[in-house]
Amino acid sequence: MTRFIFITGGVVSSLGKGIAAASLGALLQARGFTVRLRKLDPYLNVDPGTMNPYQHGEVFVTDDGAETDLDLGHYERFTGVPASRADNATTGRIYSEVIARERRGDYLGATVQVIPHITDAIKETILHETSAYDFVIVEIGGTVGDIESLPFLEAIRQLGNELGPERAMFIHLTLVPYLQSAGELKTKPTQHSVKELLNVGIQPHLLICRSERPIPEAERRKIALFCNVRPSAVIPALDVDTIYAVPLTYHAEGLDREVLAHFGLGSAPPPDLSRWQHIVETVRAPEGTVKIAIVGKYVHLLDSYKSLSEALVHGGIANRVRVEMAWLDSEIFETPDAVARLEGVHGILVPGGFGERGTAGKIAAVRFARERRVPFLGICFGMQLAVIEAARHLAGLEGASSTEFGPCPHPVVGLLTEWQREEGTIERRVGSEGMGGTMRLGAYAADLVPGSLAHRVYGGVGRIHERHRHRYEVNIAYRDILERAGLRFSGLSPDGMLPEIIEIPDHPWFIGVQFHPELKSKPFDPHPLFAHFIAASVRQARLV
Ligand code: GLN
């Protein structure tokens, strides 16, 4: 029997609903249950693929090529369960589906309305392909009280009624602020937020209360009384030093016990939390520190690189070191001598990106890493720029560039219009699909060249699968020239047409990858590229 847990948020945004949902998933897993996590986003974009990273943060890409909300990254990192296209829906997607059905005449002349047609489509989305799981955790984006989230709240209200409390539970995440002037924690915002939920017919069964300070027993009882929940179902959630401590602190406050009691599963065995204890102990007691410079364009909003910064933390866990991240705006490297800022760092990473602005600075950072023999990891755009740097400065191809920035004499990075899937099917880019539809998205295979650094990093496996999100490709026609100049193409698509990994054999550790390895890294299973990059940086730290 599949049970559904709906998580809403109140009072303010950015309370960490995604991490709360992911942590509950991890706790239920630790009790031996299977889980699946989903997110419903109230905005009108069909997916976040077209949104500015400053607005929305990172776009998390799934194996099946969906561009999704960054919370799906938290779900994967905490539970290890790969997310899919079915696990993220937006108002825009739901409406476009309903309107397409209306145009096809599927509603047989009925007046198409928010209730029941939109709410039915939301309910279908929630229930789709869930029968194999013990628990499905559904996070509703936005804050209760927003006009936009109303259809989602109505849909989960209906589902709560249809499934009954034995199969549905409502959890509400709120804020209990501390007022300095009064010297008190305030419960009123939580009471108001629960009233908002009651207005749309939802009585939460459990409250998770974010707070900077411990919530005293009297305050817990007060919240319980006014919000109509058991005192034991008021779960304090204090700020913690690492997000990977959240499952442990939630467990200590009784979250999983309360959830299981709600579903009549109170006799489930205690959870095995050793995996989380190990991670938290390692993060809290590092044996050293390495400093990694990340040279990118969106460094002012770290949510744009959420998976990347987590993957670096995981690389640190694998090596029992703390990774100090220096986020550097690539544009600062465009003035002479600015690369001096890279002096003393133990590793340099150039992440994914789009557009020409700031590329000269990134190329300067690549050159510094190559010439000064500092460990280097280039991801997606970072690999493309590493190839451009090698073409210009190692192979002497003047004006080598990417066609992303306009025509150039040596297009070492260019637009391809078709590629082959592993099974042999051909995928084509069709120009008329608009901005969102022209990228190579999702998991693709790559074959590793035996004896290469990449092959060793991946533990000697021949074929890997990694996730992509880009339009341009390194141009295979330049392989010979670039290899003669000192670059090595160490990973290629199975048909040999698409360069997936490049490296510099005559360098302590220099790798560029066309895919996004950070999307598959987990705290309990750090991605090998990050584990080895940080290991190389640890060696570098002993040198400098
Ligand atoms: N702008 C490059 C491309 O579209 C790289 C994209 C990325 O780094 N995700 O190919």
Side-chain angles (χ1 to χ4, degrees), residues 23 33 44 64 73 142 169 231 294 315 326-327 410 422 430 449 454 458 527:
S23 299
F33 295 104
L44 281 169
D64 58 356
M169 178 176 192
I294 300 132
W327 299 90
H410 288 290
E422 198 174 1
V430 189
V449 173
Y458 277 93
H527 192 289

Side-chain angles (χ1 to χ4, degrees), residues 80-161:
V81 180
S84 85
R85 181 175 299 279
D87 295 322
N88 190 199
T90 66
T91 297
R93 199 172 105 198
I94 304 274
Y95 270 78
S96 58
E97 277 167 21
V98 169
I99 291 168
R101 283 185 216 168
E102 186 274 334
R103 291 290 88 187
R104 281 200 307 268
D106 291 0
Y107 295 112
L108 305 173
T111 306
V112 182
Q113 294 177 297
V114 174
I115 304 172
H117 301 99
I118 294 293
T119 46
D120 279 354
I122 296 170
K123 288 194 284 182
E124 269 168 44
T125 304
I126 292 172
L127 298 173
H128 180 68
E129 284 179 358
T130 50
S131 55
Y133 301 88
D134 296 322
F135 287 96
V136 175
I137 300 173
V138 184
E139 178 190 345
I140 314 294
T143 308
V144 165
D146 296 346
I147 289 177
E148 311 192 304
S149 53
L150 280 175
F152 288 117
L153 297 177
E154 169 59 16
I156 63 171
R157 181 197 67 78
Q158 292 176 18
L159 265 182
N161 210 18

